[in-house]
mmCIF file of all heavy atoms in Angstrom:
data_model
loop_
_atom_site.group_PDB
_atom_site.id
_atom_site.type_symbol
_atom_site.label_atom_id
_atom_site.label_comp_id
_atom_site.label_asym_id
_atom_site.label_seq_id
_atom_site.Cartn_x
_atom_site.Cartn_y
_atom_site.Cartn_z
ATOM 1 N N GLU A 1 -2.013 -12.018 3.615
ATOM 2 C CA GLU A 1 -2.543 -12.768 2.476
ATOM 3 C C GLU A 1 -2.461 -11.959 1.183
ATOM 4 O O GLU A 1 -2.418 -12.532 0.090
ATOM 5 C CB GLU A 1 -3.996 -13.167 2.737
ATOM 6 C CG GLU A 1 -4.183 -14.159 3.872
ATOM 7 C CD GLU A 1 -5.635 -14.542 4.047
ATOM 8 O OE1 GLU A 1 -6.434 -14.280 3.118
ATOM 9 O OE2 GLU A 1 -5.979 -15.101 5.100
ATOM 10 N N TYR A 2 -2.439 -10.647 1.303
ATOM 11 C CA TYR A 2 -2.443 -9.778 0.125
ATOM 12 C C TYR A 2 -1.032 -9.367 -0.301
ATOM 13 O O TYR A 2 -0.863 -8.719 -1.325
ATOM 14 C CB TYR A 2 -3.284 -8.536 0.400
ATOM 15 C CG TYR A 2 -4.739 -8.859 0.618
ATOM 16 C CD1 TYR A 2 -5.226 -9.160 1.887
ATOM 17 C CD2 TYR A 2 -5.625 -8.895 -0.460
ATOM 18 C CE1 TYR A 2 -6.563 -9.478 2.086
ATOM 19 C CE2 TYR A 2 -6.956 -9.213 -0.273
ATOM 20 C CZ TYR A 2 -7.420 -9.509 0.997
ATOM 21 O OH TYR A 2 -8.739 -9.837 1.184
ATOM 22 N N LEU A 3 -0.035 -9.740 0.498
ATOM 23 C CA LEU A 3 1.345 -9.442 0.126
ATOM 24 C C LEU A 3 1.857 -10.570 -0.773
ATOM 25 O O LEU A 3 2.703 -11.382 -0.399
ATOM 26 C CB LEU A 3 2.229 -9.298 1.374
ATOM 27 C CG LEU A 3 3.666 -8.822 1.129
ATOM 28 C CD1 LEU A 3 3.688 -7.451 0.464
ATOM 29 C CD2 LEU A 3 4.448 -8.801 2.430
ATOM 30 N N THR A 4 1.341 -10.626 -1.988
ATOM 31 C CA THR A 4 1.711 -11.664 -2.946
ATOM 32 C C THR A 4 3.093 -11.367 -3.530
ATOM 33 O O THR A 4 3.666 -10.293 -3.310
ATOM 34 C CB THR A 4 0.666 -11.756 -4.061
ATOM 35 O OG1 THR A 4 0.462 -10.447 -4.624
ATOM 36 C CG2 THR A 4 -0.668 -12.253 -3.507
ATOM 37 N N ASP A 5 3.626 -12.320 -4.284
ATOM 38 C CA ASP A 5 4.992 -12.187 -4.805
ATOM 39 C C ASP A 5 5.189 -10.963 -5.691
ATOM 40 O O ASP A 5 6.317 -10.487 -5.841
ATOM 41 C CB ASP A 5 5.368 -13.440 -5.598
ATOM 42 C CG ASP A 5 5.576 -14.649 -4.710
ATOM 43 O OD1 ASP A 5 5.744 -14.451 -3.492
ATOM 44 O OD2 ASP A 5 5.565 -15.779 -5.232
ATOM 45 N N ASP A 6 4.119 -10.474 -6.298
ATOM 46 C CA ASP A 6 4.249 -9.332 -7.206
ATOM 47 C C ASP A 6 3.983 -7.996 -6.518
ATOM 48 O O ASP A 6 3.848 -6.977 -7.187
ATOM 49 C CB ASP A 6 3.315 -9.497 -8.408
ATOM 50 C CG ASP A 6 1.849 -9.412 -8.028
ATOM 51 O OD1 ASP A 6 1.515 -9.646 -6.851
ATOM 52 O OD2 ASP A 6 1.021 -9.105 -8.914
ATOM 53 N N LYS A 7 3.923 -7.983 -5.198
ATOM 54 C CA LYS A 7 3.636 -6.752 -4.459
ATOM 55 C C LYS A 7 4.854 -6.280 -3.682
ATOM 56 O O LYS A 7 5.724 -7.063 -3.294
ATOM 57 C CB LYS A 7 2.484 -6.977 -3.475
ATOM 58 C CG LYS A 7 1.152 -7.331 -4.110
ATOM 59 C CD LYS A 7 0.573 -6.190 -4.927
ATOM 60 C CE LYS A 7 -0.851 -6.485 -5.366
ATOM 61 N NZ LYS A 7 -0.938 -7.638 -6.286
ATOM 62 N N LEU A 8 4.889 -4.978 -3.423
ATOM 63 C CA LEU A 8 5.854 -4.415 -2.495
ATOM 64 C C LEU A 8 5.133 -3.501 -1.521
ATOM 65 O O LEU A 8 4.016 -3.027 -1.790
ATOM 66 C CB LEU A 8 6.987 -3.681 -3.218
ATOM 67 C CG LEU A 8 6.685 -2.485 -4.126
ATOM 68 C CD1 LEU A 8 6.491 -1.199 -3.335
ATOM 69 C CD2 LEU A 8 7.826 -2.294 -5.119
ATOM 70 N N CYS A 9 5.759 -3.279 -0.395
ATOM 71 C CA CYS A 9 5.218 -2.408 0.657
ATOM 72 C C CYS A 9 5.829 -1.015 0.525
ATOM 73 O O CYS A 9 7.012 -0.880 0.215
ATOM 74 C CB CYS A 9 5.599 -2.944 2.029
ATOM 75 S SG CYS A 9 4.423 -4.095 2.737
ATOM 76 N N ALA A 10 5.035 -0.024 0.812
ATOM 77 C CA ALA A 10 5.552 1.337 0.893
ATOM 78 C C ALA A 10 4.656 2.129 1.826
ATOM 79 O O ALA A 10 3.461 1.850 1.951
ATOM 80 C CB ALA A 10 5.605 1.993 -0.485
ATOM 81 N N GLY A 11 5.233 3.123 2.495
ATOM 82 C CA GLY A 11 4.423 3.975 3.361
ATOM 83 C C GLY A 11 4.959 4.057 4.768
ATOM 84 O O GLY A 11 6.132 3.795 5.040
ATOM 85 N N PHE A 12 4.067 4.421 5.693
ATOM 86 C CA PHE A 12 4.419 4.635 7.086
ATOM 87 C C PHE A 12 3.448 3.874 7.984
ATOM 88 O O PHE A 12 2.319 3.583 7.591
ATOM 89 C CB PHE A 12 4.334 6.126 7.439
ATOM 90 C CG PHE A 12 5.168 7.020 6.552
ATOM 91 C CD1 PHE A 12 4.635 7.560 5.390
ATOM 92 C CD2 PHE A 12 6.471 7.327 6.893
ATOM 93 C CE1 PHE A 12 5.384 8.389 4.580
ATOM 94 C CE2 PHE A 12 7.227 8.150 6.082
ATOM 95 C CZ PHE A 12 6.690 8.692 4.920
ATOM 96 N N LEU A 13 3.881 3.584 9.199
ATOM 97 C CA LEU A 13 2.999 3.012 10.210
ATOM 98 C C LEU A 13 2.644 4.084 11.233
ATOM 99 O O LEU A 13 3.500 4.873 11.647
ATOM 100 C CB LEU A 13 3.680 1.842 10.926
ATOM 101 C CG LEU A 13 3.807 0.527 10.153
ATOM 102 C CD1 LEU A 13 4.499 -0.503 11.027
ATOM 103 C CD2 LEU A 13 2.452 0.019 9.709
ATOM 104 N N ASP A 14 1.369 4.116 11.622
ATOM 105 C CA ASP A 14 0.906 4.995 12.710
ATOM 106 C C ASP A 14 1.310 6.449 12.485
ATOM 107 O O ASP A 14 1.762 7.134 13.395
ATOM 108 C CB ASP A 14 1.463 4.501 14.061
ATOM 109 C CG ASP A 14 1.101 3.054 14.325
ATOM 110 O OD1 ASP A 14 -0.032 2.662 13.985
ATOM 111 O OD2 ASP A 14 1.948 2.314 14.865
ATOM 112 N N SER A 15 1.135 6.915 11.261
ATOM 113 C CA SER A 15 1.540 8.290 10.964
ATOM 114 C C SER A 15 0.404 9.134 10.420
ATOM 115 O O SER A 15 0.516 10.351 10.331
ATOM 116 C CB SER A 15 2.670 8.281 9.930
ATOM 117 O OG SER A 15 2.168 7.806 8.698
ATOM 118 N N GLY A 16 -0.696 8.475 9.987
ATOM 119 C CA GLY A 16 -1.794 9.208 9.375
ATOM 120 C C GLY A 16 -1.530 9.597 7.938
ATOM 121 O O GLY A 16 -2.243 10.418 7.371
ATOM 122 N N MET A 17 -0.514 8.994 7.332
ATOM 123 C CA MET A 17 -0.191 9.290 5.936
ATOM 124 C C MET A 17 -0.331 8.019 5.120
ATOM 125 O O MET A 17 0.271 6.996 5.444
ATOM 126 C CB MET A 17 1.235 9.843 5.803
ATOM 127 C CG MET A 17 1.432 11.168 6.503
ATOM 128 S SD MET A 17 3.065 11.890 6.208
ATOM 129 C CE MET A 17 4.100 10.789 7.159
ATOM 130 N N SER A 18 -1.101 8.077 4.027
ATOM 131 C CA SER A 18 -1.348 6.867 3.252
ATOM 132 C C SER A 18 -1.999 7.203 1.922
ATOM 133 O O SER A 18 -2.622 8.247 1.766
ATOM 134 C CB SER A 18 -2.272 5.931 4.041
ATOM 135 O OG SER A 18 -2.646 4.813 3.274
ATOM 136 N N VAL A 19 -1.845 6.253 0.963
ATOM 137 C CA VAL A 19 -2.729 6.302 -0.192
ATOM 138 C C VAL A 19 -4.112 5.899 0.290
ATOM 139 O O VAL A 19 -4.270 5.240 1.314
ATOM 140 C CB VAL A 19 -2.253 5.333 -1.302
ATOM 141 C CG1 VAL A 19 -0.977 5.842 -1.919
ATOM 142 C CG2 VAL A 19 -2.084 3.922 -0.769
ATOM 143 N N CYS A 20 -5.149 6.316 -0.441
ATOM 144 C CA CYS A 20 -6.504 6.056 0.028
ATOM 145 C C CYS A 20 -7.410 5.773 -1.163
ATOM 146 O O CYS A 20 -6.966 5.765 -2.324
ATOM 147 C CB CYS A 20 -7.008 7.258 0.830
ATOM 148 S SG CYS A 20 -8.368 6.873 1.967
ATOM 149 N N LYS A 21 -8.676 5.526 -0.884
ATOM 150 C CA LYS A 21 -9.629 5.197 -1.924
ATOM 151 C C LYS A 21 -9.624 6.272 -3.013
ATOM 152 O O LYS A 21 -9.706 7.456 -2.738
ATOM 153 C CB LYS A 21 -11.031 5.091 -1.315
ATOM 154 C CG LYS A 21 -12.101 4.647 -2.310
ATOM 155 C CD LYS A 21 -13.441 4.517 -1.628
ATOM 156 C CE LYS A 21 -14.513 4.095 -2.631
ATOM 157 N NZ LYS A 21 -15.848 3.981 -2.002
ATOM 158 N N GLY A 22 -9.517 5.847 -4.254
ATOM 159 C CA GLY A 22 -9.452 6.773 -5.381
ATOM 160 C C GLY A 22 -8.059 6.967 -5.925
ATOM 161 O O GLY A 22 -7.881 7.489 -7.027
ATOM 162 N N ASP A 23 -7.039 6.535 -5.151
ATOM 163 C CA ASP A 23 -5.655 6.645 -5.623
ATOM 164 C C ASP A 23 -5.221 5.420 -6.420
ATOM 165 O O ASP A 23 -4.146 5.419 -7.024
ATOM 166 C CB ASP A 23 -4.702 6.825 -4.435
ATOM 167 C CG ASP A 23 -4.911 8.143 -3.721
ATOM 168 O OD1 ASP A 23 -5.112 9.155 -4.419
ATOM 169 O OD2 ASP A 23 -4.893 8.160 -2.486
ATOM 170 N N SER A 24 -6.044 4.362 -6.402
ATOM 171 C CA SER A 24 -5.705 3.122 -7.105
ATOM 172 C C SER A 24 -5.316 3.378 -8.554
ATOM 173 O O SER A 24 -5.892 4.237 -9.226
ATOM 174 C CB SER A 24 -6.894 2.162 -7.079
ATOM 175 O OG SER A 24 -7.142 1.695 -5.787
ATOM 176 N N GLY A 25 -4.353 2.608 -9.034
ATOM 177 C CA GLY A 25 -3.932 2.728 -10.427
ATOM 178 C C GLY A 25 -2.842 3.753 -10.659
ATOM 179 O O GLY A 25 -2.177 3.736 -11.697
ATOM 180 N N GLY A 26 -2.653 4.660 -9.713
ATOM 181 C CA GLY A 26 -1.597 5.658 -9.852
ATOM 182 C C GLY A 26 -0.228 5.018 -9.770
ATOM 183 O O GLY A 26 -0.055 3.922 -9.244
ATOM 184 N N GLY A 27 0.773 5.703 -10.270
ATOM 185 C CA GLY A 27 2.116 5.146 -10.277
ATOM 186 C C GLY A 27 2.901 5.509 -9.040
ATOM 187 O O GLY A 27 2.748 6.594 -8.473
ATOM 188 N N LEU A 28 3.734 4.577 -8.584
ATOM 189 C CA LEU A 28 4.758 4.860 -7.596
ATOM 190 C C LEU A 28 6.044 5.080 -8.375
ATOM 191 O O LEU A 28 6.496 4.177 -9.099
ATOM 192 C CB LEU A 28 4.914 3.699 -6.616
ATOM 193 C CG LEU A 28 5.958 3.901 -5.508
ATOM 194 C CD1 LEU A 28 5.453 4.910 -4.491
ATOM 195 C CD2 LEU A 28 6.285 2.584 -4.824
#
């Protein structure tokens, strides 16, 4: 539901690596 038209996916699955709380607003 949150993968709207203006979003893209990035990252890893099941790796323990991710953006987290407090990283919002930063640039990719």
